[in-house]
Amino acid sequence: QLQLVESGGGWTQPGGSLRLSCTTSGFALDYYAIGWFRQAPGKEREFVAAIDPSGRSTTHANVVKGRFTISRDNAKYTVLLQMNSLKPEDTAVYYCAAGFRGSGSYQPTSYDYWGQGTQVTVSS
């Protein structure tokens, strides 16, 4: 019954930045690990980053490490994905996902709820 809504996607040139938000309404995030995944046309869903319920432990995929940062503010029912130094290969639909009492896995099957996705396009 938990609903997740992504926002903040759009277009930017290579080297640009975007900040994605994943928000809930009416449900606290304190017990949920949150993951970000992306899927480009013709490709499998790919892990991007994850954060544990407390926000103290994060994991970032190697392809985004040093460029993307996941964070959360449980009081605001919000998880953020700050994306800097964007590359054309980052173009994809980005999804946030929540796993009850999860630890922040890279596996999509570890998550129970998924947002609708937000498009990120990086091109010159």
Side-chain angles (χ1 to χ4, degrees):
Q1 199 165 33
L2 179 68
Q3 295 189 56
L4 305 171
V5 179
E6 302 96 335
S7 63
W11 171 88
T12 189
Q13 294 182 327
S17 297
L18 291 171
R19 178 177 290 186
L20 305 184
S21 296
C22 177
T23 62
T24 67
S25 180
F27 294 90
L29 294 175
D30 303 58
Y31 301 113
Y32 294 87
I34 302 295
W36 283 97
F37 296 81
R38 66 188 184 186
Q39 188 164 18
K43 299 183 68 177
E44 297 292 327
R45 185 167 44 184
E46 178 185 32
F47 172 77
V48 176
I51 190 165
D52 79 338
S54 73
R56 297 187 180 97
S57 179
T58 63
T59 303
H60 298 81
N62 288 336
V63 292
V64 306
K65 194 172 297 181
R67 300 187 297 119
F68 293 9
T69 303
I70 189 171
S71 62
R72 68 190 298 162
D73 186 341
N74 287 348
K76 297 181 179 179
Y77 297 0
T78 299
V79 176
L80 302 176
L81 184 68
Q82 178 67 47
M83 305 186 296
N84 299 324
S85 302
L86 283 161
K87 305 174 181 179
E89 51 263 44
D90 295 318
T91 296
V93 177
Y94 284 70
Y95 301 88
C96 68
F100 183 66
R101 298 184 64 83
S103 59
S105 176
Y106 64 89
Q107 302 179 47
T109 54
S110 297
Y111 298 89
D112 306 304
Y113 305 97
W114 293 80
Q116 83 289 345
T118 185
Q119 176 71 47
V120 171
T121 302
V122 185
S123 63
S124 59

PDB file of all heavy atoms in Angstrom, residues 50-75:
ATOM      1  N   ALA A  50      21.501   2.551  -3.182  1.00  0.00           N
ATOM      2  CA  ALA A  50      20.562   2.151  -2.142  1.00  0.00           C
ATOM      3  C   ALA A  50      20.981   2.757  -0.812  1.00  0.00           C
ATOM      4  O   ALA A  50      22.157   3.079  -0.595  1.00  0.00           O
ATOM      5  CB  ALA A  50      20.479   0.629  -2.025  1.00  0.00           C
ATOM      6  N   ILE A  51      20.004   2.875   0.078  1.00  0.00           N
ATOM      7  CA  ILE A  51      20.245   3.440   1.392  1.00  0.00           C
ATOM      8  C   ILE A  51      19.431   2.660   2.411  1.00  0.00           C
ATOM      9  O   ILE A  51      18.289   2.272   2.152  1.00  0.00           O
ATOM     10  CB  ILE A  51      19.902   4.954   1.400  1.00  0.00           C
ATOM     11  CG1 ILE A  51      20.370   5.623   2.684  1.00  0.00           C
ATOM     12  CG2 ILE A  51      18.409   5.179   1.156  1.00  0.00           C
ATOM     13  CD1 ILE A  51      20.380   7.151   2.566  1.00  0.00           C
ATOM     14  N   ASP A  52      20.022   2.410   3.573  1.00  0.00           N
ATOM     15  CA  ASP A  52      19.344   1.625   4.583  1.00  0.00           C
ATOM     16  C   ASP A  52      18.319   2.485   5.314  1.00  0.00           C
ATOM     17  O   ASP A  52      18.260   3.699   5.129  1.00  0.00           O
ATOM     18  CB  ASP A  52      20.360   0.973   5.529  1.00  0.00           C
ATOM     19  CG  ASP A  52      20.906   1.918   6.589  1.00  0.00           C
ATOM     20  OD1 ASP A  52      20.867   3.148   6.400  1.00  0.00           O
ATOM     21  OD2 ASP A  52      21.380   1.409   7.633  1.00  0.00           O
ATOM     22  N   PRO A  53      17.460   1.876   6.149  1.00  0.00           N
ATOM     23  CA  PRO A  53      16.392   2.655   6.789  1.00  0.00           C
ATOM     24  C   PRO A  53      16.877   3.850   7.603  1.00  0.00           C
ATOM     25  O   PRO A  53      16.193   4.877   7.644  1.00  0.00           O
ATOM     26  CB  PRO A  53      15.680   1.624   7.670  1.00  0.00           C
ATOM     27  CG  PRO A  53      15.879   0.337   6.952  1.00  0.00           C
ATOM     28  CD  PRO A  53      17.279   0.429   6.400  1.00  0.00           C
ATOM     29  N   SER A  54      18.019   3.727   8.245  1.00  0.00           N
ATOM     30  CA  SER A  54      18.531   4.815   9.072  1.00  0.00           C
ATOM     31  C   SER A  54      19.197   5.918   8.261  1.00  0.00           C
ATOM     32  O   SER A  54      19.377   7.028   8.767  1.00  0.00           O
ATOM     33  CB  SER A  54      19.531   4.280  10.093  1.00  0.00           C
ATOM     34  OG  SER A  54      20.751   3.929   9.468  1.00  0.00           O
ATOM     35  N   GLY A  55      19.583   5.611   7.036  1.00  0.00           N
ATOM     36  CA  GLY A  55      20.323   6.552   6.225  1.00  0.00           C
ATOM     37  C   GLY A  55      21.814   6.551   6.478  1.00  0.00           C
ATOM     38  O   GLY A  55      22.547   7.319   5.851  1.00  0.00           O
ATOM     39  N   ARG A  56      22.273   5.712   7.364  1.00  0.00           N
ATOM     40  CA  ARG A  56      23.684   5.695   7.737  1.00  0.00           C
ATOM     41  C   ARG A  56      24.542   4.824   6.830  1.00  0.00           C
ATOM     42  O   ARG A  56      25.768   4.955   6.838  1.00  0.00           O
ATOM     43  CB  ARG A  56      23.834   5.228   9.181  1.00  0.00           C
ATOM     44  CG  ARG A  56      23.188   6.151  10.200  1.00  0.00           C
ATOM     45  CD  ARG A  56      23.517   5.722  11.624  1.00  0.00           C
ATOM     46  NE  ARG A  56      22.896   6.603  12.611  1.00  0.00           N
ATOM     47  CZ  ARG A  56      21.751   6.338  13.226  1.00  0.00           C
ATOM     48  NH1 ARG A  56      21.114   5.205  12.978  1.00  0.00           N
ATOM     49  NH2 ARG A  56      21.250   7.201  14.098  1.00  0.00           N
ATOM     50  N   SER A  57      23.916   3.948   6.064  1.00  0.00           N
ATOM     51  CA  SER A  57      24.654   3.062   5.172  1.00  0.00           C
ATOM     52  C   SER A  57      24.134   3.229   3.754  1.00  0.00           C
ATOM     53  O   SER A  57      22.931   3.110   3.518  1.00  0.00           O
ATOM     54  CB  SER A  57      24.515   1.612   5.625  1.00  0.00           C
ATOM     55  OG  SER A  57      25.202   0.739   4.744  1.00  0.00           O
ATOM     56  N   THR A  58      25.035   3.495   2.820  1.00  0.00           N
ATOM     57  CA  THR A  58      24.662   3.659   1.420  1.00  0.00           C
ATOM     58  C   THR A  58      25.534   2.800   0.528  1.00  0.00           C
ATOM     59  O   THR A  58      26.665   2.454   0.886  1.00  0.00           O
ATOM     60  CB  THR A  58      24.776   5.124   0.967  1.00  0.00           C
ATOM     61  OG1 THR A  58      26.143   5.548   1.059  1.00  0.00           O
ATOM     62  CG2 THR A  58      23.910   6.028   1.830  1.00  0.00           C
ATOM     63  N   THR A  59      25.007   2.470  -0.625  1.00  0.00           N
ATOM     64  CA  THR A  59      25.718   1.713  -1.632  1.00  0.00           C
ATOM     65  C   THR A  59      25.476   2.366  -2.983  1.00  0.00           C
ATOM     66  O   THR A  59      24.343   2.740  -3.298  1.00  0.00           O
ATOM     67  CB  THR A  59      25.253   0.251  -1.672  1.00  0.00           C
ATOM     68  OG1 THR A  59      25.411  -0.344  -0.385  1.00  0.00           O
ATOM     69  CG2 THR A  59      26.069  -0.546  -2.689  1.00  0.00           C
ATOM     70  N   HIS A  60      26.522   2.509  -3.768  1.00  0.00           N
ATOM     71  CA  HIS A  60      26.414   3.079  -5.100  1.00  0.00           C
ATOM     72  C   HIS A  60      27.060   2.146  -6.115  1.00  0.00           C
ATOM     73  O   HIS A  60      28.135   1.593  -5.860  1.00  0.00           O
ATOM     74  CB  HIS A  60      27.099   4.447  -5.177  1.00  0.00           C
ATOM     75  CG  HIS A  60      26.488   5.480  -4.270  1.00  0.00           C
ATOM     76  ND1 HIS A  60      26.782   5.554  -2.926  1.00  0.00           N
ATOM     77  CD2 HIS A  60      25.597   6.470  -4.528  1.00  0.00           C
ATOM     78  CE1 HIS A  60      26.100   6.550  -2.391  1.00  0.00           C
ATOM     79  NE2 HIS A  60      25.375   7.119  -3.337  1.00  0.00           N
ATOM     80  N   ALA A  61      26.397   1.966  -7.241  1.00  0.00           N
ATOM     81  CA  ALA A  61      26.975   1.170  -8.307  1.00  0.00           C
ATOM     82  C   ALA A  61      28.274   1.799  -8.786  1.00  0.00           C
ATOM     83  O   ALA A  61      28.436   3.024  -8.769  1.00  0.00           O
ATOM     84  CB  ALA A  61      25.991   1.050  -9.467  1.00  0.00           C
ATOM     85  N   ASN A  62      29.196   0.963  -9.224  1.00  0.00           N
ATOM     86  CA  ASN A  62      30.497   1.464  -9.650  1.00  0.00           C
ATOM     87  C   ASN A  62      30.393   2.495 -10.773  1.00  0.00           C
ATOM     88  O   ASN A  62      31.171   3.457 -10.808  1.00  0.00           O
ATOM     89  CB  ASN A  62      31.386   0.306 -10.093  1.00  0.00           C
ATOM     90  CG  ASN A  62      31.868  -0.535  -8.930  1.00  0.00           C
ATOM     91  OD1 ASN A  62      31.941  -0.075  -7.793  1.00  0.00           O
ATOM     92  ND2 ASN A  62      32.214  -1.780  -9.217  1.00  0.00           N
ATOM     93  N   VAL A  63      29.439   2.316 -11.657  1.00  0.00           N
ATOM     94  CA  VAL A  63      29.326   3.209 -12.803  1.00  0.00           C
ATOM     95  C   VAL A  63      28.866   4.607 -12.419  1.00  0.00           C
ATOM     96  O   VAL A  63      29.007   5.542 -13.212  1.00  0.00           O
ATOM     97  CB  VAL A  63      28.384   2.635 -13.884  1.00  0.00           C
ATOM     98  CG1 VAL A  63      28.997   1.398 -14.518  1.00  0.00           C
ATOM     99  CG2 VAL A  63      27.013   2.328 -13.304  1.00  0.00           C
ATOM    100  N   VAL A  64      28.320   4.770 -11.213  1.00  0.00           N
ATOM    101  CA  VAL A  64      27.878   6.092 -10.776  1.00  0.00           C
ATOM    102  C   VAL A  64      28.646   6.593  -9.564  1.00  0.00           C
ATOM    103  O   VAL A  64      28.462   7.746  -9.156  1.00  0.00           O
ATOM    104  CB  VAL A  64      26.368   6.119 -10.466  1.00  0.00           C
ATOM    105  CG1 VAL A  64      25.570   5.613 -11.661  1.00  0.00           C
ATOM    106  CG2 VAL A  64      26.046   5.306  -9.216  1.00  0.00           C
ATOM    107  N   LYS A  65      29.486   5.769  -8.994  1.00  0.00           N
ATOM    108  CA  LYS A  65      30.213   6.137  -7.785  1.00  0.00           C
ATOM    109  C   LYS A  65      31.059   7.379  -8.029  1.00  0.00           C
ATOM    110  O   LYS A  65      31.773   7.482  -9.021  1.00  0.00           O
ATOM    111  CB  LYS A  65      31.080   4.973  -7.322  1.00  0.00           C
ATOM    112  CG  LYS A  65      31.619   5.110  -5.913  1.00  0.00           C
ATOM    113  CD  LYS A  65      32.308   3.816  -5.464  1.00  0.00           C
ATOM    114  CE  LYS A  65      31.331   2.655  -5.405  1.00  0.00           C
ATOM    115  NZ  LYS A  65      31.983   1.397  -4.939  1.00  0.00           N
ATOM    116  N   GLY A  66      30.967   8.310  -7.105  1.00  0.00           N
ATOM    117  CA  GLY A  66      31.679   9.564  -7.241  1.00  0.00           C
ATOM    118  C   GLY A  66      30.910  10.627  -7.983  1.00  0.00           C
ATOM    119  O   GLY A  66      31.303  11.801  -7.961  1.00  0.00           O
ATOM    120  N   ARG A  67      29.838  10.246  -8.651  1.00  0.00           N
ATOM    121  CA  ARG A  67      29.006  11.196  -9.384  1.00  0.00           C
ATOM    122  C   ARG A  67      27.606  11.318  -8.788  1.00  0.00           C
ATOM    123  O   ARG A  67      27.034  12.407  -8.760  1.00  0.00           O
ATOM    124  CB  ARG A  67      28.887  10.785 -10.851  1.00  0.00           C
ATOM    125  CG  ARG A  67      30.228  10.728 -11.580  1.00  0.00           C
ATOM    126  CD  ARG A  67      30.033  10.495 -13.068  1.00  0.00           C
ATOM    127  NE  ARG A  67      29.395   9.204 -13.348  1.00  0.00           N
ATOM    128  CZ  ARG A  67      28.226   9.069 -13.975  1.00  0.00           C
ATOM    129  NH1 ARG A  67      27.560  10.133 -14.397  1.00  0.00           N
ATOM    130  NH2 ARG A  67      27.721   7.860 -14.191  1.00  0.00           N
ATOM    131  N   PHE A  68      27.046  10.205  -8.336  1.00  0.00           N
ATOM    132  CA  PHE A  68      25.705  10.181  -7.766  1.00  0.00           C
ATOM    133  C   PHE A  68      25.801  10.001  -6.255  1.00  0.00           C
ATOM    134  O   PHE A  68      26.691   9.304  -5.754  1.00  0.00           O
ATOM    135  CB  PHE A  68      24.879   9.020  -8.322  1.00  0.00           C
ATOM    136  CG  PHE A  68      24.526   9.115  -9.782  1.00  0.00           C
ATOM    137  CD1 PHE A  68      25.081  10.079 -10.605  1.00  0.00           C
ATOM    138  CD2 PHE A  68      23.615   8.216 -10.317  1.00  0.00           C
ATOM    139  CE1 PHE A  68      24.746  10.147 -11.947  1.00  0.00           C
ATOM    140  CE2 PHE A  68      23.272   8.281 -11.650  1.00  0.00           C
ATOM    141  CZ  PHE A  68      23.838   9.245 -12.467  1.00  0.00           C
ATOM    142  N   THR A  69      24.857  10.593  -5.538  1.00  0.00           N
ATOM    143  CA  THR A  69      24.792  10.441  -4.091  1.00  0.00           C
ATOM    144  C   THR A  69      23.347  10.234  -3.662  1.00  0.00           C
ATOM    145  O   THR A  69      22.484  11.053  -3.984  1.00  0.00           O
ATOM    146  CB  THR A  69      25.364  11.667  -3.365  1.00  0.00           C
ATOM    147  OG1 THR A  69      26.711  11.899  -3.780  1.00  0.00           O
ATOM    148  CG2 THR A  69      25.343  11.441  -1.853  1.00  0.00           C
ATOM    149  N   ILE A  70      23.099   9.155  -2.939  1.00  0.00           N
ATOM    150  CA  ILE A  70      21.782   8.901  -2.392  1.00  0.00           C
ATOM    151  C   ILE A  70      21.742   9.391  -0.950  1.00  0.00           C
ATOM    152  O   ILE A  70      22.715   9.263  -0.207  1.00  0.00           O
ATOM    153  CB  ILE A  70      21.414   7.407  -2.479  1.00  0.00           C
ATOM    154  CG1 ILE A  70      19.948   7.185  -2.107  1.00  0.00           C
ATOM    155  CG2 ILE A  70      22.335   6.555  -1.618  1.00  0.00           C
ATOM    156  CD1 ILE A  70      19.463   5.759  -2.377  1.00  0.00           C
ATOM    157  N   SER A  71      20.618   9.969  -0.563  1.00  0.00           N
ATOM    158  CA  SER A  71      20.430  10.428   0.804  1.00  0.00           C
ATOM    159  C   SER A  71      18.948  10.348   1.143  1.00  0.00           C
ATOM    160  O   SER A  71      18.105  10.156   0.264  1.00  0.00           O
ATOM    161  CB  SER A  71      20.956  11.854   0.991  1.00  0.00           C
ATOM    162  OG  SER A  71      20.247  12.767   0.169  1.00  0.00           O
ATOM    163  N   ARG A  72      18.643  10.492   2.428  1.00  0.00           N
ATOM    164  CA  ARG A  72      17.237  10.433   2.817  1.00  0.00           C
ATOM    165  C   ARG A  72      16.963  11.369   3.984  1.00  0.00           C
ATOM    166  O   ARG A  72      17.844  11.664   4.796  1.00  0.00           O
ATOM    167  CB  ARG A  72      16.814   9.005   3.161  1.00  0.00           C
ATOM    168  CG  ARG A  72      17.446   8.426   4.417  1.00  0.00           C
ATOM    169  CD  ARG A  72      17.161   6.920   4.524  1.00  0.00           C
ATOM    170  NE  ARG A  72      15.736   6.642   4.620  1.00  0.00           N
ATOM    171  CZ  ARG A  72      15.183   5.454   4.391  1.00  0.00           C
ATOM    172  NH1 ARG A  72      15.947   4.426   4.020  1.00  0.00           N
ATOM    173  NH2 ARG A  72      13.875   5.297   4.514  1.00  0.00           N
ATOM    174  N   ASP A  73      15.724  11.807   4.047  1.00  0.00           N
ATOM    175  CA  ASP A  73      15.233  12.605   5.157  1.00  0.00           C
ATOM    176  C   ASP A  73      13.911  11.977   5.565  1.00  0.00           C
ATOM    177  O   ASP A  73      12.863  12.276   4.992  1.00  0.00           O
ATOM    178  CB  ASP A  73      15.055  14.065   4.756  1.00  0.00           C
ATOM    179  CG  ASP A  73      14.692  14.961   5.926  1.00  0.00           C
ATOM    180  OD1 ASP A  73      14.223  14.440   6.963  1.00  0.00           O
ATOM    181  OD2 ASP A  73      14.874  16.182   5.819  1.00  0.00           O
ATOM    182  N   ASN A  74      13.968  11.095   6.537  1.00  0.00           N
ATOM    183  CA  ASN A  74      12.777  10.347   6.918  1.00  0.00           C
ATOM    184  C   ASN A  74      11.662  11.250   7.442  1.00  0.00           C
ATOM    185  O   ASN A  74      10.484  10.956   7.254  1.00  0.00           O
ATOM    186  CB  ASN A  74      13.126   9.295   7.975  1.00  0.00           C
ATOM    187  CG  ASN A  74      13.903   8.130   7.399  1.00  0.00           C
ATOM    188  OD1 ASN A  74      14.001   7.968   6.182  1.00  0.00           O
ATOM    189  ND2 ASN A  74      14.464   7.300   8.276  1.00  0.00           N
ATOM    190  N   ALA A  75      12.043  12.340   8.098  1.00  0.00           N
ATOM    191  CA  ALA A  75      11.042  13.264   8.611  1.00  0.00           C
ATOM    192  C   ALA A  75      10.236  13.904   7.491  1.00  0.00           C
ATOM    193  O   ALA A  75       9.084  14.287   7.693  1.00  0.00           O
ATOM    194  CB  ALA A  75      11.700  14.336   9.469  1.00  0.00           C
TER     195      ALA A  75
END
